Amino acid sequence: MTTAAARGLGWPGPPDPAGAEPAWPGALGWPPAPASGADDPAAPEAATTADTGPEMPIARAARAALAARAGSETWPRPGSCRIITIANQKGGVGKTTTAVNLAASLALYGQRVLVLDLDPQGNASTALDVDHHSGVTSVYNVLVEGQPLASVVRPAASIPQLYCAPATIDLAGAEIELVPLVARESRLVRALAGFDSSGLDYIFIDCPPSLGLLTVNALVAAPEILIPIQCEYYALEGLEQLLRTVDLVRSHLNPALAVSTILLTMFDGRTRLASQVADEVRAHFGEIVLSAVIPRSVRVSEAPSYGQSVMTYDPGSNGAQAYLAAAKEMAYRKAPQA
C-alpha cells in the first residue's frame, strides 16, 4: 500500500525524520522562546498511539478536546518566576507524580516550566523522557561541582515549553559529599541565583523522601512549598516533623519560606477514611488546601513507563483531569507575599 493510500485510510504513515529534538541550551538559547502556533499538537499524540496500540474513539476525542483547549486558552502568568519545592519525607505520597503532571498541565496552557529533579531515583526525569543514566551531567554536578544550572537543563520530549534538570544515581552520594562543603545548605539557592529564570514562569523542585541535605537545599532555595498528602492515616503522622523542619529552615536559613499549597492525593472515594483525612486536613490548613483532589488512577501510574506525563498519555482520564484542575487553581492563585 502506498503512503498516500495509507494516509487516506487514517493510518499515520512513516514517521517524519525532521522531528528531531533541539539540543539545550546551545540551539535553543536562553531564555527559551515561547512556542509558536506552528507546532503540531498531534505529534506527541501520534507517538502515544504508537506506544499504546489502537486507541478508542472516546480517548481520541478526549485528546482532541484537550489539544483544542490547550491551544485556545492561556492561563495567567505570574509576575515573576515562582519557585516551588514539592516535599514530604514520607515516600509514596505522589511528590514526583505531582511535580511532573502539574508542570505538564501548566506548560500545555502557555506557561514556561522547569522541573528540577532532586531525587536520586530520577523518576521525574524518567517521566519527562530526559536521559539520566550514570555519567550524564545532572543536578549532582551543579550541587557538588558548582557547574552552572543552565548547562544541565534539557527540554522534555513531548511538551513544548517544559524543561527538566535531570537527576542521576550519582546524587545518592551527594548528601555525604556535601557535608564538608562551606554553606552546604545553600548550594542550590546559589545555583538558582546564577541562573537566568526570566524566561520561566515556574520552577518545581522534586525532593527525595527524606529530610536530609538535598531536601534542606530545596527548602532554602524556594519561597514556596507544596505538600502532597496521601488520604490515609499514616500520611498525617509524618506531617508534623516536616512542618517542624520548615519552621527551622524559615527561622535560620530562609525567612521567606511558606507552605503555600497542600494537595490531597490518592483519594479513594469508596472509603470513609479518605474523606475523614481530607476533612481533617482542610479543617487544619484552610485555604491553602487545593479544592482539586487527585484520585487513585491506574493511568497516572502507567504513564511514566512510556516516558510521559498522564497529560499526554491519557488526557481524558480522571487523574489527568484532576491534575489539570489543580494546576489551573494554582495558576489563578497569587503567590503568597513574604
Side-chain angles (χ1 to χ4, degrees):
M1 183 183 294
T2 65
T3 300
R7 287 204 177 101
L9 293 174
W11 196 258
D16 180 8
E21 180 181 295
W24 179 277
L28 289 176
W30 185 259
S36 69
D39 289 327
D40 179 11
E45 303 305 334
T48 300
T49 305
D51 286 338
T52 59
E55 62 179 358
M56 300 299 290
I58 190 170
R60 188 160 53 246
R63 294 180 195 284
L66 183 65
R69 288 201 303 272
S72 61
E73 180 184 357
T74 299
W75 291 342
R77 284 180 171 150
S80 59
C81 181
R82 291 178 64 178
I83 304 175
I84 303 173
T85 288
I86 300 178
N88 190 332
Q89 82 275 15
K90 187 180 186 303
V93 299
K95 290 185 294 295
T96 297
T97 302
T98 295
V100 167
N101 288 299
L102 288 180
S105 299
L106 288 163
L108 284 170
Y109 281 81
Q111 313 295 305
R112 299 158 298 183
V113 189
L114 168 64
V115 176
L116 203 159
D117 193 353
L118 214 59
D119 188 346
Q121 298 174 91
N123 292 335
S125 307
T126 298
L128 295 175
D129 200 17
V130 173
D131 189 16
H132 63 104
H133 66 266
S134 182
V136 169
T137 305
S138 68
V139 173
Y140 168 84
N141 304 93
V142 174
L143 293 179
V144 177
E145 300 174 2
Q147 289 194 22
L149 179 57
S151 68
V152 307
V153 173
R154 302 285 181 268
S158 57
I159 301 178
Q161 303 192 108
L162 177 58
Y163 305 91
C164 177
T168 62
I169 193 62
D170 303 325
L171 202 57
E175 300 235 358
I176 297 172
E177 295 180 61
L178 286 172
V179 170
L181 300 183
V182 176
R184 59 197 178 202
E185 303 91 351
S186 304
R187 304 286 290 187
L188 183 58
V189 71
R190 288 211 300 269
L192 285 169
F195 177 72
D196 182 7
S197 61
S198 62
L200 293 171
D201 298 305
Y202 293 87
I203 297 176
F204 289 108
I205 305 175
D206 181 33
C207 293
S210 71
L211 292 177
L213 271 175
L214 293 175
T215 299
V216 171
N217 263 270
L219 295 176
V220 174
E224 298 183 56
I225 177 172
L226 184 156
I227 304 176
I229 298 180
Q230 185 180 4
C231 293
E232 293 185 2
Y233 173 74
Y234 286 135
L236 297 177
E237 285 195 325
L239 191 57
E240 183 180 355
Q241 184 181 0
L242 173 62
L243 294 176
R244 279 202 304 267
T245 302
V246 170
D247 287 338
L248 286 172
V249 171
R250 184 189 299 118
S251 300
H252 300 287
L253 298 167
N254 182 7
L257 182 63
V259 178
S260 65
T261 309
I262 289 178
L263 179 63
L264 296 168
T265 64
M266 301 183 185
F267 181 84
D268 188 345
R270 299 170 300 176
T271 67
R272 256 185 292 181
L273 176 62
S275 298
Q276 290 171 351
V277 170
D279 291 342
E280 188 173 338
V281 171
R282 292 188 190 282
H284 188 272
F285 291 100
E287 293 183 354
I288 66 172
V289 183
L290 294 179
S291 300
V293 176
I294 311 302
R296 286 192 178 275
S297 170
V298 174
R299 307 302 273 173
V300 171
S301 302
E302 287 176 350
S305 64
Y306 293 91
Q308 298 181 56
S309 70
V310 74
M311 308 312 301
T312 54
Y313 177 69
D314 189 355
S317 66
N318 289 340
Q321 294 303 308
Y323 271 115
L324 198 64
K328 185 172 185 178
E329 200 173 340
M330 287 185 65
Y332 280 87
R333 282 186 178 189
K334 292 184 177 179
Q337 300 299 314

